[in-house]
Amino acid sequence: MHPPSSRAPLAALLLVFTAAPLPAGTSAETPPAAPPLPERLADTGLYVPGSLSRIHPDNQPFTPQYPLWTDGAGKRRWLYLPPGTHIDASDPDAWDFPPGTRLWKEFSHGRPIETRLIERLPDGAWRFATYVWNEDGSEAVLAPERGIAALPAPEAPGGRYRIPSRDDCRACHEGGKVPVLGFSALQLSPDRDPLAPNAEPLRPGDADLPGLVARGQLVNLPPQLLAEPPRIRAGSPSERATLGYLHANCGHCHNRASADDPAVPVDLSLSRQVGADRDDAQALKALIETRLRYRGHGLPADLPLIAPGDAEASVLLQRMRTRNPMARMPPLGTRIPDPEALELIGRWIGHDLHPSPGATR
């Protein structure tokens, strides 16, 4: 875990960066620049033309089993794949999405507040946007590049809602192999975790692994992941849910791809693998044995990230609880700690894990 940095604050919100026009003399073989992002959400393809309530039938809803914590906001999500295209799952931990792919995520506190969009361009790059809803839900427009610091939202924590900037968006989504978060083999597994914090029930028509494969929208998925759907291997139900929560909320920054990144000073991977090279036992061992230099709230330095049998001596919970912007984890995207996750992880550390004989802090 790490303090905010120029590359990798953990945030899950998206803002716009647009594709540059083709310079003069560019080869005709170069993919054309994408058109500017629509100014209105209604023009992004999410809805049936002329409506802001009827989702276009070409867009599939989905609900990840381990959702990202964003202060208790309600969420809905959709995927669009261009006709005749598919996702290549040859690497089951890094799906390759075709150009033209779009995903949307709607956030609400009593009413819709924002809808985020991520889209793959013809040249393979990705662009991001967020659309901000007006109070009566009659319109949603493209947010400014710098974000909105305090959007009035009476039912959100503190009555305010922050739309982060472009840099916040990129820091979260560019930390791993694939910028798409929440749409993966583990997240769409039909073997869903009943203890996942803040879990949302599946909705009618939600995409999952078997359905995507059956429709030809997901190809080259290793057959064993259909015969034995992805599931986190763990020693207890609480451990499974804890590791899933850390995967969804921390793994997009703390992962194998960040091992050599100086902005992520802890050699720690919280992203769970489903491919043949997975080693859950070794990953869990590293999680428990990691020690940090973080000094927090009168505690001595060099405390362990996780102290088996002692939740209060575990830096993991200290950093999840604190609202100090230089210490909290995730550093962006939330105003309040996640009470359900804190209770789950505290129970796992205090009751499921046992200190080694003779272990010292």
Side-chain angles (χ1 to χ4, degrees), residues 63-66 187-195 199-202 206-207 230-231 240:
T63 303
Q65 66 168 322
Y66 297 110
Q187 291 284 28
L188 300 179
S189 173
D191 186 356
R192 294 175 71 87
D193 188 340
L195 294 185
E200 305 162 68
L202 288 175
D206 272 354
R231 175 191 176 101
R240 176 190 178 192

Side-chain angles (χ1 to χ4, degrees), residues 208-224:
D208 65 1
L209 283 185
L212 290 169
V213 171
R215 290 189 294 273
Q217 295 174 308
L218 185 69
V219 302
N220 299 325
L221 184 74
Q224 67 268 23

Side-chain angles (χ1 to χ4, degrees), residues 4-30:
S5 71
S6 60
R7 188 213 66 88
L10 289 172
L13 294 171
L14 304 171
L15 275 185
V16 62
F17 59 91
T18 58
L22 287 174
T26 299
S27 167
E29 296 181 0
T30 302

Side-chain angles (χ1 to χ4, degrees), residues 4-80:
S5 71
S6 60
R7 188 213 66 88
L10 289 172
L13 294 171
L14 304 171
L15 275 185
V16 62
F17 59 91
T18 58
L22 287 174
T26 299
S27 167
E29 296 181 0
T30 302
L37 282 160
E39 291 295 322
R40 300 165 61 245
L41 178 62
D43 298 326
T44 65
L46 177 56
Y47 300 99
V48 170
S51 168
L52 274 177
S53 59
R54 295 169 54 211
I55 301 298
H56 196 286
D58 289 346
N59 304 323
Q60 296 181 67
F62 68 97
T63 303
Q65 66 168 322
Y66 297 110
L68 187 75
W69 168 250
T70 45
D71 294 343
K75 299 174 188 176
R76 297 193 297 165
R77 308 164 183 84
W78 302 270
L79 165 80
Y80 170 78

